[in-house]
Amino acid sequence: MVIPFPVSSSFQGPLRIRRRAPLPARFVARDCNPAGAVASAARESGGTNEAPDSIPPGILPAAANRRKETRMLVANRMSARVVTIEPQQSLEQARTLLLKHKVRQLPVLKQKKLVGILTDRDLRSAPTTAKLVGEVMTPKPLFVGSAASVDEAARLIRLHRIGALPVVDDGRLVGILSATDVLDAFIDLSGVGDYTYRIALSNAKGRQAQQKVRQIVLDRGRGELKWLHADTKNPNKLHLRLKARRVDDVVTALEAAGFDVDAVVAPAKSRA
């Protein structure tokens, strides 16, 4: 992909965007870490995985942008290859599986039905007298359906402080969704992993200002607005991330509309 504003590879400090008509010096890009660095966060294994209910398989809502919806479904983010174990197997076998496959959760199956989940934390806290998986596993674990949305799953992972959710359709285990999978989905949705630009505006208070910005991005940038929100400390400021072919035209149009463009953050040279 061609970046509208190429960035010098020899420059190690704050990145300045170049355009045909140079942006003012205040437009200094300070790009954040690549998406891969964020997505490498360790999976959380604390908390309890037991809950009284589960999210049933959902229904894909009707909307214009089906492609974006699909990226936020559990079915498109889960790992379909799941390492499982049975209740009558030994804890030593469980430890071997965790180390061999580098996972932290083992769904427990009995006659191909999900009956529990065993985590590395369960093994660490297991009493010395325990020998079998069925003695230390969490029974009746929380799970989601493959057609559920990732944000629903994220809420459960955060609420119950767990590291992963088994994915079950019609009583059959079809995958597992980890906290890292959820992070990947939100990174993709935010656009930070793509060649996008983050822009900070002032003199942009109220809903009308937000609507005007959206229209300018659509008309001038011919791109995609990833997100837009007001500054939490200063309601006169707006922050947005966009993917546009001609971001310089967007900046010019924003200024012509009366907005003060405080910063334009260029995409990183490479994305993980």
Side-chain angles (χ1 to χ4, degrees):
M1 178 182 292
V2 178
I3 306 176
F5 300 146
V7 178
S8 172
S9 60
S10 62
F11 186 67
Q12 300 300 319
L15 307 178
R16 290 186 181 275
I17 300 174
R18 298 200 300 271
R19 65 195 293 228
R20 292 190 307 275
L23 289 169
R26 66 181 183 279
F27 296 144
V28 178
R30 302 179 181 85
D31 199 11
C32 61
N33 291 333
V38 180
S40 64
R43 297 179 181 180
E44 180 181 357
S45 60
T48 175
N49 198 38
E50 185 174 357
D53 56 2
S54 303
I55 293 180
I59 300 177
L60 181 65
N65 195 343
R66 291 285 183 180
R67 184 175 64 86
K68 183 178 291 187
E69 287 176 356
T70 302
R71 292 203 304 261
M72 289 301 289
L73 293 181
V74 169
N76 302 105
R77 295 295 177 175
M78 69 182 190
S79 298
R81 298 180 63 181
V82 188
V83 183
T84 64
I85 199 166
E86 297 182 352
Q88 71 273 17
Q89 289 185 259
S90 69
L91 296 184
E92 190 57 39
Q93 287 176 303
R95 292 188 182 92
T96 300
L97 285 174
L98 290 174
L99 290 173
K100 179 181 178 180
H101 297 280
K102 297 179 180 180
V103 295
R104 295 190 177 185
Q105 301 86 15
L106 293 173
V108 184
L109 302 184
K110 185 176 183 180
Q111 297 179 348
K112 298 183 179 181
K113 298 291 184 180
L114 180 69
V115 296
I117 193 165
L118 183 73
T119 69
D120 57 348
R121 184 182 181 185
D122 294 331
L123 291 176
R124 292 195 303 270
S125 60
T128 55
T129 55
K131 301 299 181 183
L132 301 179
V133 169
E135 298 177 61
V136 299
M137 72 178 189
T138 299
K140 299 180 180 179
L142 184 71
F143 63 87
V144 293
S146 65
S149 65
V150 173
D151 51 356
E152 290 171 339
R155 181 183 66 84
L156 288 177
I157 287 175
R158 179 66 182 90
L159 180 63
H160 296 279
R161 299 183 63 190
I162 54 180
L165 285 167
V167 184
V168 177
D169 285 344
D170 299 323
R172 183 173 64 92
L173 181 71
V174 296
I176 190 166
L177 183 78
S178 70
T180 300
D181 296 328
V182 171
L183 280 175
D184 286 341
F186 281 103
I187 287 169
D188 183 32
L189 184 65
S190 74
V192 71
D194 300 328
Y195 285 103
T196 56
Y197 293 84
R198 182 167 61 83
I199 299 177
L201 304 174
S202 56
N203 193 26
K205 185 177 181 179
R207 290 185 177 274
Q208 290 186 348
Q210 295 188 24
Q211 292 173 356
K212 185 181 294 186
V213 170
R214 292 178 187 275
Q215 193 62 46
I216 289 173
V217 170
L218 180 63
D219 293 343
R220 298 302 181 93
R222 296 182 181 179
E224 179 182 357
L225 186 63
K226 295 293 186 176
W227 51 259
L228 168 70
H229 66 80
D231 193 293
T232 54
K233 295 182 179 180
N234 187 348
N236 193 47
K237 288 182 176 292
L238 284 179
H239 301 273
L240 61 138
R241 182 176 293 280
L242 63 89
K243 186 175 184 179
R245 295 180 179 180
R246 302 293 295 270
V247 73
D248 53 342
D249 290 346
V250 174
V251 171
T252 300
L254 288 170
E255 292 177 323
F259 297 109
D260 294 328
V261 182
D262 300 325
V264 177
V265 182
K269 183 179 178 181
S270 62
R271 294 290 182 186

